[in-house]
Amino acid sequence: MSIPQQGGGLIESRDQLAAYLESGCKPKADWRIGTEHEKFGFRLEDRKPLPYEGACSIRAMLEGLRDGFGWAELREGGNLIGLVKDGANVSLEPGGQLELSGAPLETIHQTCDEVNEHLREVKTVADRIGAGFIGLGAAPDWGPDEMPMMPKGRYRLMTDYMGRVGTHGTQMMYRTCTVQVNLDFSSEPDMVKKLRVALALQPVATALFANSPYFEGKRNGHLSWRSRIWRDLDAARTGTLPFVFEEGFGIERWVDYALDVPMYFVYRDGKYIDALGQSFRDFLDGRLPALPGEVPTLSDFADHLTTIFPEARLKKFIEMRGADGGPWRRICALPALWVGLIYDDAALDAAWELCKSWDAEAREAFRVDASVRGLKAEVAGRPALEIAREALAIAEAGLKARARPGAGGMLPDETHFLNALHEIVETGETPAEELIRRFEGEWAGDFGAMFRDCAY
């Protein structure tokens, strides 16, 4: 989850909120790619999740990265809780999932170099302390009582609140991992079109990257249990957002939506102040019970935007949020899919043509079906496999049109990063179905074998 924002000045009028989002508009030459991925750490000796403290721990991992690879530390309440370097940061999810939020980069070649270097650094430190890391969408056999809580005030507040507003919130926080990509837009109309495509086609990513068929030691009935969890987390801040597809949608409407999402906290002087369930609209008027008489800063609004969790979300960029965590090849495939779909005008038009006839009911049903059946799902009478095949063809054409070379010019474009997804479509077998096949076959029901074979 996000590192607290800093600065920005007091909000003197609501217009500043829209202006803040509008400031994300960039000319196409300045569009960048920011890839995020999370992974589960575990102790090799017993496959238990890494605690925060100890010789084999999250803190030891962060210290090793800091001391061995030039990362600068971030602390909260005296605790080491993150790292920064060259526009990237390493942060902690509530249960100790280690997240790399990559720097804004020009090409997917650079993104993959960044991911590869990060995983090399992580493995170097992990080998030294007796830890391992695995890329899955959900922890396959850990129970709630086994999970540590990272020493971040935000997570203490969220843990308390999740039980009041949904049934699966703490599962999301402590026992899931994702891979996401953040992408730019040039104007408000460009943002609207991209966000609509992102929300409508997010179930395609859910199906292609589905990688969480086991939970608490058994089959859970879904190929992406992580996606299932998000449906019963907090209806006020999740979902497929039908209003985005309404005529007249734009940045002002997103501001209205954000202001109606109940708050979690306000960050002041290195501490998270409990504002659970309170209104950012009241905060604008100086009537927030948590800070009576105070008005927010733009950094407070930026923090609040990080507590909104739809399938795709708007900040000063668009964040794609539908995919399970996975191995190295699929980390690189996710930005390739979305960059191919929305960074070329012809591809974006084709992607919108693919999904524009779906209504809100169809989009939500597709979201649900994709989490359960992956590529066997259907939308508007068409199989997800067929939609995925078309989406991949559009993405490939979009990447060819971008023509961003790599490997010193030996690679003409970024299309090869889609190979992992082409293999999934060609076989019709999602990563989750491969896990099931191997778990029930060569691994003989042994989660230890799953961890060994799927570790980074």
Side-chain angles (χ1 to χ4, degrees):
M1 295 203 179
S2 299
I3 292 170
Q5 304 297 302
Q6 302 292 328
L10 293 177
I11 298 174
E12 298 177 354
S13 78
R14 184 184 177 282
D15 292 343
Q16 291 172 261
L17 306 183
Y20 172 81
L21 294 174
E22 286 167 0
S23 71
C25 296
K26 298 179 178 68
K28 192 168 188 175
D30 293 340
W31 290 355
R32 296 294 182 263
I33 304 161
T35 304
E36 306 177 15
H37 81 272
E38 303 162 358
K39 49 209 165 288
F40 295 109
F42 61 95
R43 297 182 304 210
L44 294 177
E45 64 179 9
D46 59 8
R47 282 195 304 104
K48 298 301 182 184
L50 293 180
Y52 178 74
E53 302 273 8
C56 181
S57 67
I58 288 295
R59 191 176 72 178
M61 278 297 311
L62 294 177
E63 290 172 343
L65 293 172
R66 178 197 64 193
D67 297 341
F69 298 100
W71 291 83
E73 64 179 35
L74 296 171
R75 289 185 175 269
E76 179 186 319
N79 295 306
L80 179 59
I81 51 88
L83 304 166
V84 293
K85 183 173 68 171
D86 298 333
N89 68 71
V90 174
S91 61
L92 304 178
E93 292 297 294
Q97 305 97 310
L98 198 69
E99 177 178 2
L100 173 70
S101 295
L105 300 170
E106 293 187 40
T107 72
I108 304 165
H109 307 292
Q110 294 169 337
T111 287
C112 271
D113 288 344
E114 176 188 60
V115 168
N116 198 38
E117 176 65 13
H118 169 71
L119 292 179
R120 183 189 68 80
E121 293 178 0
V122 166
K123 183 166 175 52
T124 298
V125 178
D127 286 349
R128 187 168 70 242
I129 67 173
F133 282 86
I134 189 169
L136 293 170
D141 63 339
W142 294 339
D145 296 338
E146 296 179 88
M147 304 309 300
M149 179 191 289
M150 297 299 102
K152 296 180 69 172
R154 172 180 179 139
Y155 298 154
R156 285 191 292 273
L157 292 173
M158 289 177 63
T159 298
D160 176 65
Y161 190 66
M162 286 296 184
R164 307 181 209 167
V165 293
T167 57
H168 288 63
T170 56
Q171 292 183 22
M172 177 279 291
M173 291 176 64
Y174 292 92
R175 291 185 286 164
T176 65
C177 284
T178 186
V179 54
Q180 301 176 176
V181 62
N182 304 322
L183 299 174
D184 290 317
F185 48 87
S186 62
S187 64
E188 183 174 41
D190 185 49
M191 176 277 291
V192 170
K193 194 168 191 176
K194 286 175 175 174
L195 187 58
R196 286 172 174 169
V197 167
L199 287 165
L201 293 183
Q202 211 62 225
V204 173
T206 296
L208 287 169
F209 290 82
N211 198 31
S212 47
Y214 294 96
F215 200 66
E216 297 186 350
K218 58 183 182 295
R219 287 271 297 276
N220 54 50
H222 288 66
L223 297 182
S224 176
W225 184 249
R226 184 205 57 82
S227 180
R228 164 67 185 89
I229 284 170
W230 282 101
R231 297 206 307 274
D232 280 304
L233 187 146
D234 181 349
R237 68 187 77 238
T238 60
T240 51
L241 307 185
F243 72 87
V244 170
F245 297 84
E246 294 173 358
E247 185 175 353
F249 170 75
I251 286 174
E252 288 284 353
R253 181 66 183 87
W254 188 272
V255 169
D256 282 335
Y257 163 64
L259 291 178
D260 288 332
V261 172
M263 293 176 66
Y264 280 159
F265 60 82
V266 182
Y267 188 74
R268 288 289 184 275
D269 301 321
K271 296 181 180 179
Y272 288 90
I273 297 170
D274 184 346
L276 293 169
Q278 296 176 27
S279 165
F280 208 96
R281 292 185 188 275
D282 289 343
F283 200 5
L284 290 174
D285 294 334
R287 296 185 289 107
L288 190 73
L291 289 174
E294 288 197 29
V295 295
T297 65
L298 277 174
S299 62
D300 292 326
F301 184 61
D303 278 337
H304 182 57
L305 291 175
T306 71
T307 69
I308 299 171
F309 306 132
E311 294 296 285
R313 71 180 173 191
L314 176 64
K315 295 195 277 190
K316 290 199 288 186
F317 45 82
I318 297 172
E319 186 176 287
M320 311 301 185
R321 300 172 50 81
D324 284 7
W328 181 88
R329 290 180 70 223
R330 290 203 298 275
I331 294 172
C332 300
L334 185 81
L337 173 66
W338 287 112
V339 167
L341 285 171
I342 74 170
Y343 265 15
D344 173 72
D345 290 342
L348 180 60
D349 288 343
W352 178 233
E353 193 66 31
L354 182 60
C355 60
K356 71 179 184 180
S357 65
W358 306 342
D359 60 18
E361 184 178 359
R363 290 190 297 269
E364 181 61 21
F366 190 23
R367 175 196 183 199
V368 173
D369 204 8
S371 75
V372 178
R373 298 196 295 153
L375 294 172
K376 297 180 179 66
E378 294 184 358
V379 57
R382 296 187 64 192
L385 181 61
E386 185 178 304
I387 299 293
R389 186 176 287 113
E390 288 191 32
L392 277 179
I394 294 168
E396 183 159 16
L399 293 178
K400 284 182 179 177
R402 265 172 60 83
R404 298 299 180 92
M410 294 177 63
L411 296 169
D413 54 42
E414 302 154 308
T415 55
H416 67 286
F417 292 112
L418 293 174
N419 287 347
L421 302 184
H422 283 303
E423 291 172 14
I424 291 167
V425 167
E426 286 165 10
T427 64
E429 182 182 65
T430 63
E433 289 164 314
E434 179 187 357
L435 280 179
I436 293 168
R437 173 172 54 77
R438 298 184 71 188
F439 186 77
E440 295 179 352
E442 64 190 273
W443 295 336
D446 178 14
F447 284 107
M450 181 184 294
F451 274 70
R452 286 192 300 273
D453 281 19
C454 296
Y456 287 113

